[in-house]
């Protein structure tokens, strides 16, 4: 964009922008302040949906009634840029073309596009009933039901692939130490500590500014009321395109080891 901000979109075979997809992705990026990488993920999902509609002779605005068939296509049809539909070659014991998590991500993008299309009059309102159903709070975990024990209603996605439960595998202390020892400079050692010891995401670590890092025992002279060594995680546009997924700014304390690592990078 002229402002320097970027977003991803969808083009057809003639490299012409698909209007409704482009309109929705621009709305997400600039109207909802979503990240550039979010538009990239959603654009990829929308491109798959439009490709399926074209290869099966369906109109995208009313194809929501057949999303179950789209899920089967996603799981068993490898990606192809050819005009002819890719033959299904997967057999027993073969890995699917896309796993459950990827399928759900594509479905999230499709539901977002269709909901937006309904809101701007590009798709019939009946589409909403094909992608969402009315559900109550009884199927939610206790932690998500809130303090109010009364029955509440919400919209629930109709189509969703069941994802297998995966245990979160945190890096052990021995693995972190091994990574730390393999680093060849102070900057890389600091990155390992920020990710493994402070708990920052990679986008948050890559988007840190020097003004975000307050390493003194008392930073009131800098206009900061937080005591002790700490850093501020802020969501902003960075020249390296790093982005914090958290919309709210927050503060994370630092221990002596991370402070020493910061000192070695100067």
């Amino acid at each position: 964009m002229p402002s320097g901000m970027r977003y991803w979109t969808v083009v057809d075979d003639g490299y012409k922008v698909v209007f409704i997809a482009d309109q929705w992705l621009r709305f997400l990026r600039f109207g909802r302040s979503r990240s550039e990488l979010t538009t990239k993920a959603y654009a990829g999902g929308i491109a798959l949906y439009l490709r399926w509609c074209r290869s099966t002779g369906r109109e995208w605005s009313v194809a929501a009634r057949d999303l179950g068939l789209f899920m089967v296509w996603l799981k068993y049809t490898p990606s192809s840029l050819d005009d002819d539909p890719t033959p299904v070659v997967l057999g027993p014991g073969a890995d699917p073309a896309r796993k459950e998590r990827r399928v759900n991500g594509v479905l999230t993008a499709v539901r977002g596009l269709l909901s937006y299309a309904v809101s701007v009059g590009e798709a019939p309102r009946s589409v909403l009933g094909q992608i969402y159903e009315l559900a109550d709070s009884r199927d939610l975990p206790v932690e998500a039901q809130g303090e109010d024990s009364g029955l509440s209603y919400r919209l629930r996605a109709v189509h969703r692939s069941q994802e297998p439960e995966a245990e979160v595998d945190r890096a052990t202390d021995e693995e972190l130490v091994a990574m730390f020892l393999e680093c060849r400079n102070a900057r890389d050692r600091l990155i390992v500590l920020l990710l493994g010891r402070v708990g920052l995401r990679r986008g948050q670590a890559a988007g840190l500014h020097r003004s975000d890092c307050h390493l003194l025992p008392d930073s009131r002279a800098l206009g900061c009321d937080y005591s002790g060594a700490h850093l501020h995680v802020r969501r902003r546009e960075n020249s390296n395109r790093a982005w914090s997924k958290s919309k709210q700014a927050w503060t994370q304390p630092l221990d002596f080891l991370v402070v020493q690592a910061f000192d070695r990078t100067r």
Side-chain angles (χ1 to χ4, degrees), residues 63-81:
R65 60 178 177 267
D66 296 327
L67 280 186
L69 297 177
F70 177 53
M71 294 172 64
V72 176
W73 184 88
L74 282 175
K75 186 174 182 179
Y76 293 108
T77 306
S79 297
S80 174
L81 297 179

Side-chain angles (χ1 to χ4, degrees), residues 32-258:
R32 290 287 181 85
S33 297
R34 297 293 182 88
S35 71
E36 177 187 337
L37 292 179
T38 297
T39 63
K40 178 182 179 180
Y42 284 179
I46 294 305
L48 287 171
Y49 174 69
L50 296 178
R51 186 179 303 163
W52 171 74
C53 291
R54 182 189 62 185
S55 64
T56 58
R58 289 177 168 86
E59 176 64 32
W60 69 267
S61 60
V62 294
R65 60 178 177 267
D66 296 327
L67 280 186
L69 297 177
F70 177 53
M71 294 172 64
V72 176
W73 184 88
L74 282 175
K75 186 174 182 179
Y76 293 108
T77 306
S79 297
S80 174
L81 297 179
D82 299 331
D83 290 336
D84 296 332
T86 303
V88 179
V89 296
L90 299 178
D95 291 333
R98 299 171 186 85
K99 298 294 183 65
E100 291 83 359
R101 184 175 182 180
R102 173 58 176 157
V103 170
N104 286 335
V106 172
L107 291 175
T108 298
V110 172
R111 285 192 294 267
L113 172 70
L114 293 175
S115 299
Y116 178 81
V118 170
S119 69
V120 297
E122 294 291 335
R125 296 183 61 87
S126 59
V127 170
L128 293 178
Q130 297 170 352
I131 59 178
Y132 292 110
E133 62 183 356
L134 192 62
D136 56 51
S137 58
R138 289 177 294 184
D139 62 337
L140 293 175
V142 176
E143 296 81 1
Q145 294 183 12
E147 298 179 357
D148 186 5
S149 59
L151 192 64
S152 60
Y153 294 91
R154 61 188 175 87
L155 291 178
R156 179 175 59 191
V158 175
H159 303 88
R160 185 171 182 81
S161 184
Q162 185 65 37
E163 297 183 26
E165 295 186 4
E167 183 179 354
V168 178
D169 184 18
R170 180 189 178 276
T172 64
D173 293 340
E174 291 75 14
E175 291 172 334
L176 288 174
V177 170
M179 292 178 60
F180 187 85
L181 295 177
E182 288 296 322
C183 294
R184 298 184 178 182
N185 54 58
R187 184 204 62 180
D188 292 348
R189 288 189 287 270
L190 174 61
I191 292 175
V192 171
L193 292 176
L194 289 175
L195 300 181
R197 197 172 181 89
V198 182
L200 297 185
R201 292 175 176 268
R202 58 183 181 181
Q204 295 168 343
L208 280 177
H209 293 199
R210 287 191 177 274
S211 58
D212 297 331
C213 308
H214 297 166
L215 309 180
L216 300 175
D218 188 347
S219 299
R220 284 179 293 181
L222 302 176
C224 179
D225 295 330
Y226 289 95
S227 60
H230 62 274
L231 56 81
H232 297 269
V233 180
R234 298 183 173 95
R235 192 177 195 180
R236 61 163 71 91
E237 296 287 341
N238 293 297
S239 58
N240 62 355
R241 298 159 65 183
W243 183 269
S244 174
K245 291 183 69 68
S246 176
K247 293 183 179 181
Q248 302 295 328
W250 50 281
T251 304
Q252 181 68 22
L254 304 177
D255 60 19
F256 73 97
L257 189 60
V258 180

